[in-house]
Short mmCIF file of all heavy atoms in Angstrom, two decimals:
data_model
loop_
_atom_site.label_atom_id
_atom_site.label_comp_id
_atom_site.label_asym_id
_atom_site.label_seq_id
_atom_site.Cartn_x
_atom_site.Cartn_y
_atom_site.Cartn_z
N ASN V 23 10.26 -11.32 28.62
CA ASN V 23 10.13 -10.85 29.98
C ASN V 23 8.67 -10.90 30.47
O ASN V 23 7.90 -9.92 30.58
CB ASN V 23 10.70 -9.35 30.02
CG ASN V 23 11.02 -8.89 31.32
OD1 ASN V 23 11.31 -9.61 32.20
ND2 ASN V 23 11.10 -7.53 31.45
N ARG V 62 15.53 -7.43 36.06
CA ARG V 62 16.52 -6.37 36.15
C ARG V 62 17.65 -6.84 37.20
O ARG V 62 17.80 -6.24 38.29
CB ARG V 62 16.04 -5.10 36.61
CG ARG V 62 15.11 -4.55 35.53
CD ARG V 62 14.45 -3.22 35.91
NE ARG V 62 13.67 -2.61 34.83
CZ ARG V 62 12.90 -1.58 34.92
NH1 ARG V 62 12.74 -1.04 36.07
NH2 ARG V 62 12.20 -1.14 33.91
N SER V 147 9.56 -4.43 22.13
CA SER V 147 9.29 -3.88 23.51
C SER V 147 10.54 -3.68 24.41
O SER V 147 10.50 -3.12 25.46
CB SER V 147 8.44 -4.75 24.31
OG SER V 147 8.77 -6.23 24.16
N HIS V 150 13.70 0.30 23.18
CA HIS V 150 14.01 1.69 23.72
C HIS V 150 15.28 1.54 24.51
O HIS V 150 15.78 2.58 24.96
CB HIS V 150 12.89 2.23 24.53
CG HIS V 150 12.46 1.37 25.68
ND1 HIS V 150 12.37 -0.08 25.52
CD2 HIS V 150 11.88 1.65 26.88
CE1 HIS V 150 11.90 -0.47 26.68
NE2 HIS V 150 11.69 0.52 27.55
N ARG V 151 15.88 0.43 24.73
CA ARG V 151 17.16 0.24 25.45
C ARG V 151 18.30 0.20 24.51
O ARG V 151 18.23 -0.68 23.59
CB ARG V 151 17.05 -1.06 26.32
CG ARG V 151 15.84 -1.16 27.22
CD ARG V 151 15.79 -0.17 28.20
NE ARG V 151 14.62 -0.32 29.11
CZ ARG V 151 14.06 0.66 29.84
NH1 ARG V 151 14.58 1.87 29.72
NH2 ARG V 151 13.14 0.39 30.67
N GLY V 376 5.60 -1.82 26.62
CA GLY V 376 5.31 -0.83 27.66
C GLY V 376 5.99 0.53 27.34
O GLY V 376 5.59 1.34 26.62
N GLY V 377 7.28 0.55 28.08
CA GLY V 377 8.00 1.74 27.82
C GLY V 377 8.34 2.05 26.41
O GLY V 377 8.38 3.24 25.99
MG1 LIG W 24 9.66 -1.68 31.29
#
Side-chain angles (χ1 to χ4, degrees):
N23 196 19
R62 293 178 174 169
S147 47
H150 56 321
R151 310 293 184 206

